[in-house]
Amino acid sequence: MTGRSSFSTLRNRMSPEAQDRARAKSEALESEMALAEVRRAMKLSQEELAAILQINQASVAKMEKRTDMYIGTLRRFIQAMGGELEIVARFPDRQIRIDQFSQDAAEVVAR
């Protein structure tokens, strides 16, 4: 490895302040992802997710590119990856979880 260093070696050479900044940036990046990034982080292919959702791979690709979709569609997409969708409204002084779009609420409306 002439002229190359491992990431851990480089990180260890950083000042504690630089390490803290890098860690904070990494955590921020992990907390915000597009749907395709979430799918890849969950180690699922579009084909695997399509099979779970009982749709074709092209439909998964389209969904991942959409900027607007029904909450129920997004919920099913997240659940297919093993997650749970929560809708949170953030205000300057508080956060409020909106529960009318939860799975339980959808089941009540469907009855």
Side-chain angles (χ1 to χ4, degrees):
M1 280 186 20
T2 308
R4 298 182 184 182
S5 299
S6 69
F7 181 73
S8 60
T9 301
L10 294 173
R11 184 181 53 226
N12 290 337
R13 290 182 190 164
M14 295 168 62
S15 71
E17 295 81 16
Q19 288 181 22
D20 288 342
R21 285 192 305 273
R23 189 176 306 108
K25 184 160 185 143
S26 174
E27 289 171 0
L29 289 172
E30 288 180 7
S31 69
E32 295 181 14
M33 294 183 189
L35 284 177
E37 293 170 324
V38 174
R39 176 185 48 76
R40 286 190 291 269
M42 301 306 294
K43 297 184 178 10
L44 287 168
S45 69
Q46 286 183 339
E47 293 82 9
E48 291 169 323
L49 190 55
I52 295 168
L53 290 167
Q54 299 179 348
I55 58 177
N56 61 43
Q57 176 272 327
S59 295
V60 171
K62 277 184 180 178
M63 288 172 66
E64 289 180 344
K65 292 177 184 167
R66 294 187 70 175
T67 57
D68 190 21
M69 70 175 68
Y70 288 115
I71 292 171
T73 302
L74 179 58
R75 182 184 341 100
R76 285 189 299 280
F77 197 91
I78 297 298
Q79 286 175 334
M81 292 187 283
E84 179 183 336
L85 180 66
E86 287 187 3
I87 308 293
V88 177
R90 290 190 171 90
F91 298 93
D93 61 338
R94 63 183 145 171
Q95 295 183 39
I96 301 172
R97 183 175 176 270
I98 309 299
D99 64 0
Q100 92 186 54
F101 303 115
S102 70
Q103 181 68 31
D104 294 336
E107 290 172 0
V108 170
V109 171
R111 288 184 199 157

